[in-house]
Each structure stands twice: as structure tokens, then as C-alpha cells.
Amino acid sequence: MRVKRRHRRKSALRSGYHAAAIRGYDAGFAKGYAAGITEGKLRYAQNFPGTSIIIPTFNQRDRLRQCLQSIAQFTDLPHEVIVIDNASSDGTQEFLREQRTQLVYVRNAENRGFSGAVNRGLKLARGETIVILNDDTIVTERWLDNLLHCLLSDERIGLVGPVTNYISGSQQIDVAYHTNAEMCRFAADFNRTDSSRWRETDRLAGFCLAMTKGTFQRLGYFDEGFELGNCEDDDYGLRARICGLKLMIAGDTFIHHAGSATVKSLGEQFAEAYRHNLDYYSAKWGNVGELLDATLRNGQEGGKIVDFYPTCVFVQGPNRAVYWLENGVRHHLADVFWGEAVRISAVELRMMPEGPPLSWEQAAARLTQLHELANEPFWTTDGALCQTPDGAIWQICGAALRKVTVPLALSAWKLLGRPIKMLDDHTLMSILPQGRPILPPTVLVEPEL
């Protein structure tokens, strides 16, 4: 019996030792794994001196294969390829899985449209420059060299696009080739670097857009209020122009474009989305010519898109953090939030300097003040809304009077329901100078970036 008890004691000791060893191993493994994840994120977040090529795709496996092959053949500069698959059902997923060592591939659970796919690619992009490229394009000799030569020639250039055989607008040129081989020979001769062939434009089509990481950090993400595709490139280009950036056509750069292949495959679904997009664009921008004239003529173009956001509003950023925006400065709300907030991205938040945190009570007191002073004879409180006889709504922001461009901006920033002071034009303009207009925010389905 004594021997058996000793044996049991030894077994228990061994079991205890093994359990402790296992616990130590598990703890060490977890710590090392966490450290590896942290280091990996830090390394991935670092920019590299190359170009991120973002390709949204949907049910275009064969055209996508051609596009990727052309990139591999004709792109000598450092680059990474990021393909975002909008839940294709034609074998694209299987094809891309085989290419994982050559590109970054992400599959969306559903079709999130052009903007949604591009935005997911922008989250992954590490390059100092970025190209957004349609899956139905075939790039050509010196294509990226020439685009970047134009893009980096002037810091005022925001977006650059090439010319092509099939597109709406001034980027289309006449071509005479009939085969892929003939197209490649044509492009090799055409793509001779020549800055005299560059020209500024009012619009760039989104089949191929080049920009710097800095431009993205000034303009933010593509607007996901546009469904499936179309108009979001016009929206992004207009934002660039309002922020004082130029749109350029690199007339010495040709790539082939099959032309709306994804759009045609969607049929009536796309037609409905296109009607929605036209309506949304009109509601978001109103009279574009009038907006540009007023902004550019008065030298009020901003350095970044958040310069056109209102004051005294709540926004919700990553991890549901809520901020009070006041005159371009963000203040984190350090306690429970009881109001409504506009969802924006971390990219937009980083455009704004950070002020001291506020409590909910402090922010709510500012709103109460706006309501209480609504009956003052000369209401010049920061954040106050005013209306002129022509129906235009203005907000007092710091030392300037800023026009709310469209009704959508008023509702999207959750300014409806706040008191509005009725003033005549003369009284209003004699109080404060006119500042930058207030634009609607960019719609994001997944703003936690």
C-alpha cells in the first residue's frame, strides 16, 4: 500500500508539473502571438515607396485575368496589387485563390458596389501612390511610369487619368487596332513620355485614377451613398477641385478599356442604381457650377474635405467613439453620449486637430445655448443657423458666415430641428464675412477604419 501511495504522489507531482508546463507554454504562445500580430500590423501600416493598384471586380474572371497579366508584363516600378471581389459567382474566387502569392485578395460577402470595394482596398493600400483600376482594362508599356510622372510633377495635381479607346468624355481617343497584339504595338509607340500632351480637365472617369497617399488623406474615402457604380468618380473629382487640386489627363498614357463590362452584366439592376446615383449626386451637390464659382472665385477652396464640415455637431468615429466638432477641432466625449452622431472615418478624424475632451453635459450645454439665444436681436453665437429671404441657410462658424449648400447637408449633419434666425441679407452680410460652404458628409457603410 505504501508503494502505491508513493506512486500516486509521484503521478500527481508529474501531472502538476505537466499542467504548469502547459499553462506556461500557452501563456508564452499567446504572448508571442499577440506580439507578432502587433508587429505585423505596425509593419503593414507602414507605407512603402511604391504604388498600390486597387482593382474592384465582379463576375469578370476572364477580363480580370487579362488585366492582371498585363500588370505583370508592363509594370516595372515597385507596386502591390489589391483585388477586392464583390461576391462574384463566375469562378473569380477560385482563380484569385490561386494568385494569393502575387496579390492581396479580399472577398466581400455581398456586392458593395464600386465605392465599397475601392474603400476596402484603400484600407489595405500601403503605397505612397495609389491607382484605382477597372477589371476590364489592359495596361500597357510605361503606363505607370507616365501616370506617376504627371502626378508627381506638381503638388497641386490631385488626380490623374490616362486616355483610352472607350470611355465617356475627353479621355477617349480614336484608335485603329483590332487585336491585342496590335493594341500593344500601338500603345508602345503612343506612350512616349511628353508633358506637352498633359492637359487639365474638369472631369476624370474612374476606369483608371492615380493619386498620392497624401491626396487620399485630404479627400477621404469614396462615397458609398452611390450604389453599384457610376457618378462616384465625378463626386471624388469634384471634391478634389473644391479642395484646390487639379485633375489632369496624361495624354501620353494609353491603356485599353473594354468598357462598362461589369455594368452591362448587371442589366436592369444597374439601370435602377444609375437613376438613384444621378438623384443622389444632384441632391448632394446642387448647382455644381454655382458652387465652384462661389468657392474658387472667392479663394475659399480648402486644403482638405473636412474644411467644408459644419461646426457644433456630433460625429462618431472608430470603435463608436463620439466627438464634438467645433470650428475644425474634434473633442472626444469622455462619457455616455445621448444624442445623434454622424458616422465618419478615422481618416477624416485625423484631418482635424484634437482638442481637450468634453463631457456630455458640456456639449449638451452648448446646444442648449444655441436654443436659448435664438430670440436675441443680433444672434452671432458660434454654431447658430440663420436664413436669408431667398431661403438659403447659413451657419456662423467662428469669424465667418458659411452657406449650407443643399438641404441634404442640413439633414445629414443632423441640424434639422435647431432654431433658425430669420435675417435680411444686408444685416447678415454686415455682421460676418462669407466663409467656405458646408457640404454633406461622405456616406460610409463601414466607417470603423
Side-chain angles (χ1 to χ4, degrees):
M1 292 295 292
R2 216 174 286 132
V3 173
K4 288 183 178 179
R5 280 196 296 271
R6 259 198 318 270
H7 176 71
R8 284 198 295 271
R9 283 198 298 272
K10 288 180 178 178
S11 296
L13 288 171
R14 279 197 295 269
S15 298
Y17 171 79
H18 287 310
I22 290 171
R23 286 195 299 272
Y25 173 83
D26 288 345
F29 179 87
K31 184 177 180 180
Y33 184 81
I37 291 291
T38 300
E39 181 66 18
K41 287 181 177 179
L42 289 173
R43 289 179 180 273
Y44 194 84
Q46 294 174 351
N47 290 353
F48 80 98
T51 301
S52 297
I53 303 171
I54 300 171
I55 307 175
T57 190
F58 176 70
N59 283 345
Q60 295 296 321
R61 180 193 58 193
D62 294 336
R63 293 193 186 279
L64 176 63
R65 180 187 287 111
Q66 278 190 310
C67 179
L68 294 175
Q69 288 172 346
S70 70
I71 292 172
Q73 181 178 359
F74 294 117
T75 312
D76 298 324
L77 295 177
H79 67 279
E80 64 176 356
V81 177
I82 302 170
V83 179
I84 309 297
D85 179 16
N86 265 330
S88 296
S89 58
D90 67 341
T92 295
Q93 181 178 11
E94 293 73 20
F95 163 68
L96 288 172
R97 280 176 175 168
E98 298 172 357
Q99 318 299 316
R100 278 186 181 274
T101 57
Q102 304 170 41
L103 51 81
V104 177
Y105 159 55
V106 176
R107 177 178 169 85
N108 287 331
E110 59 184 4
N111 189 345
R112 291 183 51 197
F114 183 84
S115 290
V118 167
N119 286 346
R120 194 159 188 186
L122 288 168
K123 298 175 194 178
L124 299 171
R126 298 181 299 120
E128 292 179 353
T129 50
I130 297 167
V131 171
I132 298 164
L133 188 67
N134 274 17
D135 57 4
D136 60 352
T137 58
I138 298 176
V139 301
T140 55
E141 193 171 328
R142 294 187 298 277
W143 76 285
L144 186 57
D145 308 63
N146 286 359
L147 285 179
L148 297 187
H149 185 209
C150 178
L151 177 66
L152 302 177
S153 66
D154 186 340
E155 62 182 10
R156 294 171 297 175
I157 295 176
L159 302 174
V160 174
V163 295
T164 190
N165 58 295
Y166 185 92
I167 201 67
S168 62
S170 56
Q171 289 172 264
Q172 179 170 321
I173 64 171
D174 294 330
V175 297
Y177 59 78
H178 301 285
T179 67
N180 189 58
E182 290 176 352
M183 183 274 292
C184 288
R185 287 195 293 271
F186 165 80
D189 182 63
F190 185 94
N191 291 357
R192 299 181 185 276
T193 305
D194 182 358
S195 60
S196 68
R197 295 158 68 189
W198 304 343
R199 62 186 187 276
E200 189 173 355
T201 184
D202 293 340
R203 175 182 180 269
L204 285 172
F207 74 101
C208 179
L209 285 175
M211 62 180 166
T212 64
K213 195 67 169 281
T215 291
F216 163 60
Q217 291 166 345
R218 290 170 63 177
L219 302 182
Y221 288 90
F222 277 62
D223 193 323
E224 295 180 37
F226 295 100
E227 298 178 356
L228 295 183
N230 268 357
C231 299
E232 62 283 294
D233 48 359
D234 295 300
D235 175 271
Y236 208 72
L238 184 53
R239 270 191 266 166
R241 294 179 66 199
I242 286 175
C243 288
L245 297 171
K246 296 180 179 181
L247 312 185
M248 297 293 293
I249 297 175
D252 56 354
T253 312
F254 174 90
I255 70 171
H256 177 79
H257 183 218
S260 306
T262 300
V263 168
K264 292 172 183 175
S265 70
L266 292 169
E268 183 59 30
Q269 182 186 8
F270 178 81
E272 293 176 5
Y274 185 48
R275 286 192 289 270
H276 163 84
N277 290 353
L278 289 174
D279 290 342
Y280 178 59
Y281 185 89
S282 177
K284 180 176 179 179
W285 293 109
N287 188 321
V288 173
E290 185 178 292
L291 172 63
L292 283 170
D293 286 345
T295 303
L296 304 180
R297 182 179 63 247
N298 297 326
Q300 295 165 350
E301 65 269 29
K304 46 194 183 299
I305 196 62
V306 296
D307 293 337
F308 296 86
Y309 288 179
T311 188
C312 298
V313 293
F314 294 105
V315 296
Q316 180 180 311
N319 303 318
R320 301 189 180 277
V322 176
Y323 299 82
W324 170 260
L325 298 189
E326 187 159 356
N327 291 320
V329 178
R330 58 186 168 100
H331 303 266
H332 180 243
L333 291 191
D335 54 7
V336 177
F337 172 65
W338 298 101
E340 286 188 294
V342 180
R343 302 175 73 185
I344 67 173
S345 71
V347 172
E348 291 163 286
L349 285 172
R350 285 193 292 267
M351 295 182 201
M352 312 172 196
E354 185 171 8
L358 297 177
S359 66
W360 161 247
E361 287 76 14
Q362 289 173 308
R366 289 285 291 110
L367 291 180
T368 300
Q369 182 186 31
L370 292 177
H371 284 265
E372 291 177 344
L373 296 177
N375 295 320
E376 293 293 323
F378 290 99
W379 193 28
T380 58
T381 303
D382 195 32
L385 296 176
C386 309
Q387 185 173 10
T388 48
D390 61 359
I393 305 295
W394 305 75
Q395 187 180 45
I396 298 170
C397 301
L401 192 65
R402 300 175 57 198
K403 185 177 182 180
V404 181
T405 53
V406 289
L408 177 62
L410 200 67
S411 59
W413 286 113
K414 305 189 185 301
L415 295 172
L416 290 174
R418 296 192 187 183
I420 299 176
K421 182 74 172 180
M422 300 298 298
L423 293 175
D424 63 82
D425 291 339
H426 176 73
T427 301
L428 192 61
M429 299 306 174
S430 66
I431 298 172
L432 295 171
Q434 185 174 336
R436 296 186 182 97
I438 293 174
L439 305 175
T442 298
V443 174
L444 294 172
V445 175
E446 295 183 0
E448 289 76 19
L449 309 172

